[in-house]
Amino acid sequence: MKKLRNQIFLILAIMVSGVTTTYAQNFQGIAKYQSAMKMRSFKMSGEGITPDMEKQLQSMMAKQGQKEFTLNFNLSESTWKEDESLGDAPGGASGGGVRVVSFSVGGGASSTTYKNTAEKLFMQESDVFGKAFLVKDELEAQEWQITGESKKIGNYTAQKAIYTRTVERQSFTFGDIEDEDAEPQTTTDTIKVEAWFTPEIPVSHGPENYWGLPGLILEVSNGSVTYLCTKVTLNPEEGVEIKKPKKGKKVNREEFQKIMEEKMEEMSKKYSGGGNGMSIKIGGGN
């Protein structure tokens, strides 16, 4: 009898283990996010330009940074994509005699970012002023420090983590400048990234390029952009589709950054010295 009971326990243990393994292998989800943008460096000057006009343009550009995104994920893979909106005005936003034109740099509604944490693989479809690129490189290591702070985000308990990194930024001027051949100014900044993740969703994914924490990142901010999760659906009946991006000229991250800087410099020179009595200076970089 004892031998039979042990055999039954062993069979049950194998069955439970099999169910758990199958569930883990099939674990997947969909997370919705909203973004908010704050301009790091913005200066508008020229004949007839008032502080109110500068604030208005800053506000309009910030509104263009308010977008919705979808993160599809399983245990090791994820795709990040901006949701398409039928309500956006074509070409940009305007008001009070000021118009903001949207430039497609480093992505858009058609762009997809793919991460594979098991293979440490990063891929991204990006559009730079109408030309498609496929960035393929290793996932950048993010040395998070978990602080021990916690808060509720929706139905989940989230923990706080931070890390800092140093980046080089280039500032570009659009409009009238005294020296049309002036080179962009480069500065070095230290960026503090703050994230809130939940171990209740045991995947190492997050919005945009963020990853590497023991739980889904529900909120993250780098000082200029904040992403906040608004809805999570786990194991939906219809399943979750995750595909690697394929479109565009293949480049690595360093090559792509150089291409972006060259294109921004071209645009800066193209729109400088136009005789409109106005200049806009924007600090670039990630």
Side-chain angles (χ1 to χ4, degrees):
M1 179 63 71
K2 183 177 180 181
K3 183 178 180 181
L4 178 61
R5 186 169 64 248
N6 290 339
Q7 289 176 339
I8 293 174
F9 285 157
L10 179 60
I11 293 172
L12 288 173
I14 292 173
M15 291 175 62
V16 170
S17 175
V19 171
T20 302
T21 301
T22 301
Y23 176 82
Q25 289 175 344
N26 295 330
F27 184 77
Q28 53 188 212
I30 301 172
K32 295 286 187 178
Y33 292 81
Q34 290 182 343
S35 68
M37 182 176 69
K38 178 181 178 182
M39 297 300 295
R40 283 185 177 274
S41 175
F42 181 93
K43 185 177 182 180
M44 184 177 179
S45 62
E47 187 176 336
I49 300 299
T50 66
D52 286 342
M53 291 178 64
E54 185 174 354
K55 289 180 181 179
Q56 183 187 31
L57 188 54
Q58 284 180 321
S59 176
M60 292 167 64
M61 294 182 73
K63 286 182 179 179
Q64 287 201 331
Q66 296 173 356
K67 300 178 180 181
E68 296 184 343
F69 299 83
T70 297
L71 178 73
N72 289 352
F73 61 87
N74 56 34
L75 282 179
S76 61
E77 298 174 289
S78 70
T79 54
W80 169 259
K81 184 177 175 67
E82 180 187 334
D83 293 345
E84 294 183 3
S85 173
L86 300 178
D88 292 340
S94 62
V98 179
R99 181 173 180 82
V100 178
V101 179
S102 298
F103 294 104
S104 180
V105 181
S110 61
S111 175
T112 299
T113 298
Y114 170 89
K115 299 191 292 288
N116 188 317
T117 58
E119 298 178 4
K120 300 295 187 291
L121 175 63
F122 171 89
M123 299 179 71
Q124 183 183 62
E125 288 177 347
S126 293
D127 184 277
V128 180
F129 299 111
K131 187 171 182 179
F133 291 89
L134 179 61
V135 184
K136 183 177 181 181
D137 215 319
E138 291 186 7
L139 278 173
E140 288 186 306
Q142 297 174 352
E143 298 180 359
W144 296 100
Q145 298 178 20
I146 299 175
T147 66
E149 298 177 60
S150 64
K151 69 176 182 179
K152 277 283 189 179
I153 299 180
N155 297 324
Y156 299 97
T157 299
Q159 298 181 26
K160 182 179 177 180
I162 59 173
Y163 88 92
T164 57
R165 61 191 177 101
T166 303
V167 298
E168 286 190 350
R169 297 188 181 280
Q170 286 190 319
S171 60
F172 300 88
T173 302
F174 298 89
D176 286 348
I177 54 176
E178 295 181 0
D179 184 2
E180 295 184 16
D181 296 323
E183 294 294 326
Q185 295 182 353
T186 301
T187 58
T188 301
D189 286 347
T190 299
I191 298 176
K192 180 180 178 181
V193 180
E194 179 182 296
W196 294 87
F197 69 97
T198 177
E200 297 169 23
I201 304 178
V203 296
S204 188
H205 302 303
E208 203 188 45
N209 300 336
Y210 298 104
W211 71 288
L213 285 165
L216 180 67
I217 298 174
L218 300 179
E219 181 181 341
V220 64
S221 175
N222 64 7
S224 60
V225 180
T226 297
Y227 296 105
L228 176 63
C229 184
T230 57
K231 181 181 179 181
V232 179
T233 304
L234 298 178
N235 299 313
E237 292 183 3
E238 65 275 17
V240 176
E241 184 178 62
I242 298 177
K243 292 183 177 180
K244 292 181 180 179
K246 298 179 179 179
K247 299 179 181 178
K249 178 183 177 181
K250 293 182 179 179
V251 293
N252 60 33
R253 191 180 283 107
E254 184 177 349
E255 291 169 338
F256 181 67
Q257 182 65 28
K258 185 176 180 181
I259 290 168
M260 286 184 63
E261 291 172 358
E262 290 174 350
K263 291 296 182 182
M264 288 295 289
E265 188 173 353
E266 287 178 14
M267 293 294 292
S268 175
K269 291 181 179 179
K270 180 178 180 181
Y271 287 98
S272 295
N276 59 6
M278 180 180 73
S279 68
I280 299 174
K281 187 174 182 180
I282 301 174
N286 294 322

